[in-house]
Amino acid sequence: MKRKTAVVTGGSRGIGRAVAVGFAKAGCNLVINYAGNDEAAKETERLCSAEGAKVVLVKGDVADSTCAERIVEAAVAEFGQIDILVNNAGITRDNILIRIEEEDFDKVIETNLKGTYLMMKACARHMIRKRSGRIINMASVVGIAGNAGQANYSASKAGVIGLTKSFAREVASRSITVNAVAPGFIDTDMTRDMTEQAKENAAKQIPAGRLGSAEEVAAAVLFLASDSAKYITGHVLNVDGGMCM
Ligand code: NAP
């Protein structure tokens, strides 16, 4: 993957940071988007630069189409190409369905689902022109199995899987692969707010008996972005310690 350009949304923390650092170690240059946490984004930049990568940070909301355009413009201006897109930015606004506020429903769908659509649309133009590309979308096992207390989030991730499979069919003939990674419970800021009891209960549902790490998810993303995965498209790869099978 030497000198390839990887765009990673939500790359300031958690899984996105591990993915960015993984690409940097593999020899890629990076465009890293994040929502607002400048300090965390600079730390990701520092970690990637230490691996020899050139890094451009783009702050902005992936649900805003002008942000997707800015990310693509930055990538093309700095590196002249986009080889890999990882749609990782995501949020939760958990509650049982009858208590989910309309605003929280919309926010989760806009960030997780619309953001993925906007970024794929903006990047695909360049990938189609050069007849190659790798797109990896961050789904979740709850997008497959559902989860009480996460109807909005599960719907957004089920939507991401639908987007992935549809777009995979549309661009396969141009040598562009579109796949999803579906993590289970991963130890990041997103799950750190859970009580110890909730984490213990979660671990009981996982055959591997523990939460996963951001690096374990990043390894799956790197595989799908690699040459070894060039005949894999429209696939959802669970990284969940056996939670959903
Ligand atoms: P995280 O630690 O909370 O990090 C979220 C990242 O997304 C941050 O970089 C954040 O930027 C960015 N972000 C949030 N809203 C954004 C927006 N509107 N525009 C651009 N960037 C935005 O989350 P994580 O656990 O690493 O999760 C990463 C992805 O994996 C998400 O799609 C999530 O749904 C999925 N996932 C996570 C788990 C899990 O157990 N952790 C399980 C399944 C799926 P700032 O730092 O600037 O806020």
Side-chain angles (χ1 to χ4, degrees):
M1 278 191 258
K2 286 225 175 321
R3 283 182 293 281
K4 289 203 166 165
T5 305
V7 172
V8 182
T9 69
S12 50
R13 292 182 283 126
I15 293 169
R17 174 183 285 174
V19 167
V21 173
F23 280 127
K25 284 184 175 157
C28 293
N29 292 318
L30 283 142
V31 177
I32 298 172
N33 151 263
Y34 65 106
N37 192 334
D38 297 316
E39 211 174 297
K42 288 206 176 99
E43 177 59 11
T44 304
E45 180 181 31
R46 191 190 66 72
L47 292 168
C48 293
S49 301
E51 299 294 339
K54 288 186 193 154
V55 181
V56 178
L57 295 178
V58 182
K59 180 169 161 176
D61 180 357
V62 286
D64 172 359
S65 60
T66 62
C67 173
E69 292 301 335
R70 278 196 295 120
I71 293 170
V72 169
E73 276 164 23
V76 173
E78 190 66 26
F79 305 119
Q81 62 191 31
I82 300 168
D83 302 293
I84 300 157
L85 165 65
V86 182
N87 282 306
N88 166 79
I91 57 164
T92 50
R93 294 278 189 280
D94 294 350
N95 216 328
I96 56 169
L97 187 139
I98 55 172
R99 295 212 185 110
I100 296 176
E101 298 291 343
E102 201 174 326
E103 188 192 330
D104 287 336
F105 186 87
D106 289 346
K107 187 79 186 154
V108 168
I109 297 290
E110 279 171 16
T111 307
N112 300 2
L113 182 57
K114 186 180 169 193
T116 300
Y117 145 72
L118 288 171
M119 284 300 302
M120 290 205 295
K121 190 174 174 183
C123 288
R125 283 201 307 270
H126 297 272
M127 293 180 175
I128 288 170
R129 206 173 297 139
K130 74 183 177 67
R131 292 189 165 259
S132 71
R134 291 276 193 281
I135 300 175
I136 297 109
N137 296 326
M138 204 54 71
S140 166
V141 290
V142 305
I144 300 166
N147 196 22
Q150 289 197 304
N152 51 354
Y153 181 74
S154 304
S156 75
K157 295 301 187 179
V160 164
I161 292 171
L163 273 183
T164 301
K165 292 184 177 183
S166 301
F167 200 45
R169 288 180 185 277
E170 291 178 8
V171 294
S173 63
R174 317 285 165 90
S175 304
I176 299 169
T177 66
V178 190
N179 291 290
V181 169
F185 276 107
I186 308 300
D187 186 20
T188 67
D189 291 347
M190 194 175 263
T191 46
R192 249 161 235 157
D193 283 348
M194 288 165 72
T195 61
E196 280 312 308
Q197 185 60 50
K199 279 190 193 171
E200 262 178 47
N201 291 343
K204 279 186 198 144
Q205 299 169 40
I206 306 170
R210 64 170 177 86
L211 273 65
S213 71
E215 288 71 23
E216 285 168 323
V217 180
V221 173
L222 259 83
F223 165 66
L224 290 170
S226 74
D227 241 25
S228 309
K230 66 178 175 218
Y231 199 56
I232 300 174
T233 196
H235 187 72
V236 183
L237 180 53
N238 293 4
V239 183
D240 64 350
M243 195 179 155
C244 178
M245 58 172 144

